[in-house]
Amino acid sequence: MTSPQSDPAPQPPQGHTHTHAHTHSHGPAAPVSRHLRKVIAAVLIPFATAVVVGLIAFWPGGVPDHERTGVGFDRQTQDGKVVQVVKVDCADVNAAQVPPTGDTSTPSGREAVNEQDGECAKATIEVTSGDDKGRRFVEVVQPDAPRQLKEGQGVVVAYAPDAPRDLQYSVTDVNRKVPMALLAGIFALAVVLVGRMRGVMALVALAVSFAVLTLFILPAILQGSNPLVVAVIGASAIMLAALYLCHGVTARTSVAVIGTLISLLLIGLLGSLFIGWASLSGNTDDNTGLIHGLYPDIDMSGLLLAGVIIGSLGVLDDVTVTQTSAVWELHQADPEMGWKGLYRAGIRIGRDHIASVVNTLVLAYAGAALPLLLLFSIAQSSVGTVANSELVAEEIVRTLVGSIGLVASVPVTTVLAALVVSADRAGSGGAQAATAAPARTGRGRRRKTG
């Protein structure tokens, strides 16, 4: 009867309990056995080295200069402020003209009549930055314009140096810097208050991601480098920085990195195959057309593929880290569970996670393309016609390729994590069991002799 009672007896004395609890709290994030650390390092060190070499080899050294076209975003802009707004009769400022035919059955004809008979706003704008600071000009805002101006409002003004002096400046947008900065500050504060040190490191990782994107990926593509190669190098650098900064340099993080890398490679291969097969040019709107006009050597289809890879990276990080952490916690709960049991339990968690993540990804793309989908709905186009248009087909390929990579990341990361923790249990855990067994035997002998 003493033997069965000796199984719960291995609970150590009170002093040892504190040490065990401390070890357990850091166990999931601690490096695994020395052998597995060497195996993981043998994979990650060459990969990290290749990323650093790629960054050095493709480092652009800045955005190439070009002569501004004055079209779209490629315009010189300055800050401005609305100093006065006066209501005037639209007819007095010749804001709109009724069509010569007098036809008011069309939307443009009806709007012209409304604007001519309505009350317009005559706004005086003062330039508040640049060489012409203090200069004023007048902007007429029609009554049906989506953007109305008011006194004291900050605006963005475009400057056309080749135009007549009275027409050199025009209002292009509202200045939103203050509310955007405030929103960003609230976001950062919320992250730090809830995440504490992890939140601070997440913000640092976010800053690194933006730095890689703006200082490396975008300028390198504009310099004429292959967009796919640049995207892979940049995404890998972002992945390494984000994961290790947020989750520490541990075996668990390293497994998530490897799982993310494999999934990114799959996304790149599938994206390259289907973008080429579907003959997607990547030049589908005014912005991409302007880019192609300014830099005709840029591979626009490659730029589309680069966007697919970078866009999928953020969600991939979330899935791989979650799956790795789940397997680690399952191992802590039941150290005797083998890798097959860990995989089966982890994949059940992954199925729930992937169902919500894929839906989130699809809805995110649908939300971004909502005005476009609304136009197709107004035109009463069939689903086949809508899906076949290049503008929508790009989003479909982007969504489905990214979703396939997300789905694949679950079993890939889960099996990697299960193999690592189970091998660690067999390697280092076996030694711990061997040292614990004599202690139980020793207590058994003392009880028998006692």
Side-chain angles (χ1 to χ4, degrees):
M1 294 297 293
T2 55
S3 297
Q5 295 175 357
S6 65
D7 287 337
Q11 297 181 1
Q14 192 66 27
H16 186 267
T17 303
H18 175 75
T19 305
H20 177 75
H22 179 78
T23 304
H24 176 76
S25 64
H26 294 276
V32 292
S33 63
R34 181 176 300 178
H35 174 70
L36 283 176
R37 288 204 301 271
K38 291 181 179 179
V39 172
I40 293 172
V43 175
L44 289 179
I45 290 178
F47 168 62
T49 303
V51 171
V52 173
V53 171
L55 287 173
I56 296 173
F58 287 89
W59 193 262
V63 177
D65 294 329
H66 72 279
E67 186 176 351
R68 290 187 178 272
T69 61
V71 178
F73 288 103
D74 193 39
R75 291 180 289 187
Q76 299 182 41
T77 59
Q78 300 292 346
D79 293 333
K81 183 179 180 180
V82 181
V83 295
Q84 186 182 36
V85 176
V86 179
K87 294 295 183 180
V88 295
D89 191 348
C90 289
D92 293 341
V93 293
N94 199 24
Q97 296 291 334
V98 179
T101 60
D103 182 13
T104 59
S105 62
T106 63
S108 59
R110 289 192 297 271
E111 289 176 7
V113 171
N114 293 334
E115 291 165 359
Q116 190 180 53
D117 296 338
E119 198 175 42
C120 292
K122 187 177 181 181
T124 302
I125 316 297
E126 181 178 326
V127 181
T128 57
S129 65
D131 296 335
D132 288 336
K133 183 177 180 180
R135 179 175 168 180
R136 295 188 175 189
F137 64 96
V138 174
E139 183 94 1
V140 176
V141 183
Q142 298 174 352
D144 292 336
R147 181 179 62 244
Q148 298 292 322
L149 301 178
K150 55 186 178 181
E151 290 187 12
Q153 186 177 34
V155 293
V156 178
V157 297
Y159 175 59
D162 297 332
R165 179 173 175 80
D166 292 341
L167 302 176
Q168 285 182 332
Y169 281 97
S170 61
V171 176
T172 62
D173 209 342
V174 174
N175 193 326
R176 305 179 181 89
K177 293 178 182 178
V178 173
M180 298 296 285
L182 178 61
L183 183 60
I186 294 173
F187 162 74
L189 182 62
V191 170
V192 172
L193 287 177
V194 177
R196 298 188 179 180
M197 195 59 198
R198 285 289 181 91
V200 173
M201 297 311 296
L203 292 177
V204 173
L206 183 62
V208 172
S209 299
F210 273 109
V212 172
L213 185 64
T214 57
L215 299 179
F216 173 72
I217 295 177
L218 299 180
I221 292 175
L222 291 177
Q223 292 280 10
S225 300
N226 187 298
L228 176 58
V229 176
V230 170
V232 169
I233 295 172
S236 299
I238 291 172
M239 174 186 65
L240 290 172
L243 288 179
Y244 282 119
L245 281 173
C246 293
H247 305 286
V249 184
T250 65
R252 181 171 63 180
T253 307
S254 299
V255 171
V257 167
I258 296 173
T260 305
L261 174 62
I262 294 173
S263 303
L264 279 178
L265 292 176
L266 176 62
I267 289 173
L269 291 174
L270 286 175
S272 179
L273 172 63
F274 282 95
I275 287 174
W277 193 3
S279 300
L280 299 177
S281 65
N283 189 1
T284 53
D285 57 23
D286 293 340
N287 293 327
T288 54
L290 178 60
I291 293 171
H292 184 65
L294 293 174
Y295 300 95
D297 294 334
I298 293 179
D299 180 9
M300 299 304 293
S301 60
L303 186 62
L304 173 61
L305 179 57
V308 172
I309 292 174
I310 295 172
S312 302
L313 179 61
V315 188
L316 269 178
D317 287 350
D318 174 48
V319 172
T320 54
V321 168
T322 300
Q323 285 304 114
T324 306
S325 297
V327 172
W328 242 261
E329 293 301 327
L330 288 167
H331 171 68
Q332 290 294 320
D334 186 3
E336 298 302 319
M337 189 183 299
W339 76 268
K340 290 183 179 179
L342 289 170
Y343 174 77
R344 285 193 295 267
I347 204 69
R348 285 194 295 270
I349 298 172
R351 289 191 187 106
D352 292 335
H353 190 201
I354 205 63
S356 60
V357 168
V358 169
N359 192 46
T360 301
L361 192 62
V362 172
L363 290 178
Y365 284 127
L370 200 58
L372 176 65
L373 297 177
L374 189 60
L375 285 177
F376 280 111
S377 179
I378 293 172
Q380 297 182 349
S381 302
S382 66
V383 175
T385 302
V386 172
N388 189 65
S389 66
E390 183 171 1
L391 199 56
V392 176
E394 279 189 4
E395 298 303 324
I396 292 175
V397 170
R398 191 195 311 269
T399 302
L400 296 182
V401 168
S403 298
I404 292 171
L406 287 174
V407 172
S409 69
V410 171
V412 168
T413 309
T414 304
V415 73
L416 283 174
L419 289 172
V420 168
V421 293
S422 61
D424 181 50
R425 179 180 65 84
S428 59
Q432 294 172 359
T435 57
R440 289 195 294 270
T441 304
R443 281 192 292 270
R445 287 198 189 100
R446 285 194 295 271
R447 287 179 181 177
K448 288 179 181 179
T449 56

